[in-house]
């Protein structure tokens, strides 16, 4: 699968989001972290801002919902997104959330936190377009990748190959030019990068560099 780079706008200037999006036009996806202050301690933005973002970019929005009650909220976000990711740990009925996202016209993805084993979700992945393996505890940008999460990427990739699934595997948290090759070798194809893209002086060059460092399996 072709490597995709998804800059996280959590590291952008929230007072100038339209201008910030213009600086990352080489992105394959725009990663938008929606946090509710309950599922995670941090609070970011909601549906009205996601709607406006969708109106000022042609790059598909990749929404990462770190919120409670995805059964209620996921479909409201999905109409403005290319893909919507909810957290397995927040869902009471993951199958329902997946079908609601699809019905609203977006690709369906599910995420697992560092403490959740792949075996807990393996029977759900055949229903997904993408599995997000969190490589940090969700809630904040600028953290270092937790190395012990990487074997879950290997495990998910092996499961998808053995079962002939078209599953994209995304990693999020602490992704840098120093670890992206290792993550891609483990089987990830979609890479969220907040700090590493937004701190670069030429963000589009950094996106291109990250993409070229990721080895396509
Ligand atoms: C953390 C978010 C990430 C975050 C990544 O909860 O899900 O998307 O923005 O930021 P970096 O790349 O700085 O770790
Ligand atoms: Zn995220």
């Amino acid at each position: 699968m072709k490597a995709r780079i998804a800059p996280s706008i959590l590291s952008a200037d929230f007072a100038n989001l339209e201008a910030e999006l213009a600086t990352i036009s080489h992105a394959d996806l725009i990663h938008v972290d929606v946090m509710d202050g309950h599922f995670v301690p941090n609070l970011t933005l909601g549906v009205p801002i996601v709607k406006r973002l969708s109106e000022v970019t042609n790059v598909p929005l990749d929404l990462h919902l770190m919120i409670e009650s995805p059964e209620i909220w996921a479909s409201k976000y999905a109409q403005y997104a290319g893909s919507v990711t909810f957290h397995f740990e927040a869902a009471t009925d993951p199958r329902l959330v997946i079908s609601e996202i699809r019905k609203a016209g977006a690709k369906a993805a599910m995420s697992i936190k560092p403490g959740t084993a792949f075996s807990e979700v393996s029977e759900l992945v055949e229903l997904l377009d993408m599995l997000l393996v969190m490589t940090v505890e969700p809630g904040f940008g600028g953290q270092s990748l937790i190395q012990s999460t990487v074997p879950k990427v290997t495990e998910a990739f092996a499961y998808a190959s053995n079962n002939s699934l078209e599953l994209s595997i995304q990693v999020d948290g602490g992704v840098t030019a120093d670890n992206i090759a290792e993550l891609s070798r483990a089987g990830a194809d979609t890479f969220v990068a907040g700090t590493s893209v937004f701190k670069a002086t030429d963000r589009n060059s950094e996106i291109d560099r990250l993409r070229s460092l990721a080895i396509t399996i």
Side-chain angles (χ1 to χ4, degrees):
M1 242 182 267
K2 180 184 164 278
R4 299 184 297 176
I5 306 298
S8 164
I9 59 163
L10 189 61
S11 297
D13 176 359
F14 272 30
N16 294 292
L17 285 176
E18 185 173 6
E20 291 286 78
L21 290 185
T23 69
I24 54 168
S25 56
H26 290 196
D28 298 288
L29 305 165
I30 308 280
H31 186 82
V32 182
D33 290 301
V34 176
M35 305 185 189
D36 67 354
H38 293 278
F39 180 69
V40 288
N42 203 0
L43 181 67
T44 55
L45 49 83
V47 174
I49 294 178
V50 167
K51 176 175 185 285
R52 285 295 293 131
L53 290 172
S54 74
E55 291 164 356
V56 298
T57 180
N58 293 321
V59 181
L61 300 185
D62 169 45
L63 304 186
H64 179 191
L65 304 184
M66 285 161 275
I67 61 171
E68 291 178 353
S69 306
E71 289 78 8
I72 297 169
W73 288 103
S75 60
K76 301 187 199 303
Y77 284 98
Q79 58 186 309
Y80 305 115
S83 53
V84 175
T85 303
F86 67 97
H87 266 268
F88 169 70
E89 302 86 356
T92 48
D93 189 348
R95 285 185 167 78
L96 174 68
V97 185
I98 294 165
S99 78
E100 292 277 300
I101 293 170
R102 287 252 168 74
K103 252 193 278 168
K107 290 194 170 166
M110 188 175 76
S111 180
I112 51 174
K113 297 205 287 183
T116 302
F118 175 72
S119 58
E120 295 180 55
V121 298
S122 55
E123 63 187 34
L124 290 170
V125 297
E126 66 179 28
L127 305 171
L128 297 171
D129 294 294
M130 182 166 77
L131 177 72
L132 166 54
V133 176
M134 284 305 294
T135 44
V136 298
E137 285 298 338
F140 299 93
Q143 305 179 71
S144 299
L145 178 134
I146 301 169
Q147 200 61 38
S148 60
T149 60
V150 180
K152 282 198 281 188
V153 175
T154 314
E155 209 181 334
F157 184 80
Y159 184 91
S161 308
N162 294 338
N163 292 280
S164 309
L165 303 177
E166 284 262 334
L167 179 74
S168 210
I169 301 174
Q170 183 176 47
V171 284
D172 180 8
V175 175
T176 67
D178 292 332
N179 58 28
I180 195 164
E182 179 198 355
L183 291 164
S184 65
R185 270 196 301 274
D189 57 80
T190 306
F191 305 87
V192 178
T195 309
S196 52
V197 166
F198 278 92
K199 71 158 201 256
T201 34
D202 184 341
R203 294 167 178 171
N204 274 332
S205 301
E206 185 62 12
I207 291 166
D208 293 341
R209 184 166 81 105
L210 288 168
R211 196 188 290 106
S212 69
L213 288 167
I215 292 140
T216 309
I217 298 185

